[in-house]
Amino acid sequence: MPNWNEVIAEIHQTRQLHPDHNPLDLVRRKYLKQVSEITGRNTIAYYSGWLQKPTARDTAVNDKDKSGLMLTIHRLDKSKGLDLILHTPGGDIAATESLVDYLYSMFGKNIRVIVPQISMSAGTMIALSSSEIIMGKHSNLGPIDPQMGGLACQAVINEFKQAKEDIRKNPHAAALWQVIISKYHPTFLGACQQAIEWSEKMVSKWLEENMCADDTSIVENILKTFADHKKQKSHARHISKRECEEIGLKIGSLEDNQDLQDAVLTTHHAFMHTFSHTASVKIIENHNGVAYVENSVPQPPQPQ
């Protein structure tokens, strides 16, 4: 398997051999095609450049991504199913629900998710909608507890509960809690509760109807692992392949197929190099080289 530096060397060599073409595209698509040839399935890479461009817009899952999926799914043989290579920080819950519903309408439940490095938050929700998640020893998923304005919804609810209990025990604490709770607008608590119920109901349904259809009794424990803020402590926590296996998720190991592992990880390196050396912040691309690309928009200079 070409390592990180060897992929860079191949990109430079490709530039010399094909000066009229973008070498990043040629190398990336070469290995993405290999993934599909090895599995015999449709392959779409759904990649965000948030690691390279943490302040850029449109790196998160959003409604514009539907256009990318529509473009890359068009003309594919749907009977071959889909392997979705996923690398994302997550994003909007409503967009996530819509994207999964669309994928189901195209491929039924014949969808696998491959996680070369990390798929967090709403990305984890997409992974949990699949029939199987293929991970390496280095791969991670993340908690799915909803966030609002950078705040964990469950943490907000817990804070309100603590305030009520403290004030009940010591009415003089009300003044202190007033300062803390006043940072939330009047409907914020209800919105947090609804977001939690929405996300858990959505993921529970996907698990029961697809990955866990043969044993729905494990769904509750899976949700507890991924959705319980008290258990995970932080929305940024990285959940390992081993822990995913222990709670009953259907996890395939990249290490079980050396050819597939080589193709997937080299594809991953090629995407990372693309984000590092171009203005791209999101790429949705299929094994035939059809791609939807979002580029970062330069920000106007700010007054000093």
Side-chain angles (χ1 to χ4, degrees), residues 21 35 108 151 168 197 203 250 268 277 291 296:
H21 296 82
V35 175
L151 299 172
R168 184 185 65 81
E197 293 173 358
V203 174
K250 289 183 180 178
H268 178 71
H277 295 93
S296 59

Side-chain angles (χ1 to χ4, degrees), residues 34-204:
Q34 283 187 12
V35 175
S36 178
E37 290 172 345
I38 292 167
T39 64
R41 294 166 61 83
N42 295 305
T43 305
I44 293 177
Y46 184 158
Y47 262 75
S48 167
W50 93 98
L51 294 177
Q52 290 77 15
K53 302 178 179 74
T55 62
R57 297 175 55 187
D58 293 325
T59 58
V61 175
N62 61 67
D63 281 319
K64 290 195 291 184
D65 297 347
K66 177 76 70 68
S67 297
L69 289 176
M70 291 172 67
L71 174 67
T72 52
I73 290 172
H74 183 56
R75 294 181 179 172
L76 294 182
D77 181 354
K78 315 303 188 300
S79 67
K80 293 183 177 181
L82 174 67
D83 283 346
L84 185 67
I85 305 177
L86 198 56
H87 180 77
T88 175
D92 183 72
I93 295 178
T96 301
E97 181 179 38
S98 179
L99 293 178
V100 170
D101 285 348
Y102 175 64
L103 290 174
Y104 279 173
S105 72
M106 292 291 102
F107 299 98
K109 301 301 191 296
N110 189 10
I111 301 168
R112 300 191 304 184
V113 164
I114 301 174
V115 181
Q117 181 180 356
I118 186 169
S119 182
M120 300 292 282
S121 191
T124 297
M125 295 172 73
I126 294 172
L128 294 176
S129 74
S130 69
S131 61
E132 181 184 22
I133 307 170
I134 299 176
M135 303 174 71
K137 294 177 181 178
H138 50 275
S139 305
N140 294 108
L141 299 180
I144 63 171
D145 55 308
Q147 309 286 294
M148 283 195 177
L151 299 172
C153 291
Q154 188 60 58
V156 171
I157 292 173
N158 292 342
E159 189 170 50
F160 268 90
K161 290 180 179 178
Q162 183 181 353
K164 289 172 62 178
E165 182 63 20
D166 284 355
I167 293 171
R168 184 185 65 81
K169 294 179 178 178
N170 178 18
H172 295 293
L176 174 61
W177 277 110
Q178 176 64 31
V179 175
I180 298 172
I181 300 302
S182 63
K183 62 187 176 184
Y184 305 124
H185 59 74
T187 62
F188 192 67
L189 184 63
C192 285
Q193 184 62 50
Q194 290 173 2
I196 292 171
E197 293 173 358
W198 181 16
S199 62
E200 290 187 3
K201 181 179 179 180
M202 186 191 313
V203 174
S204 176

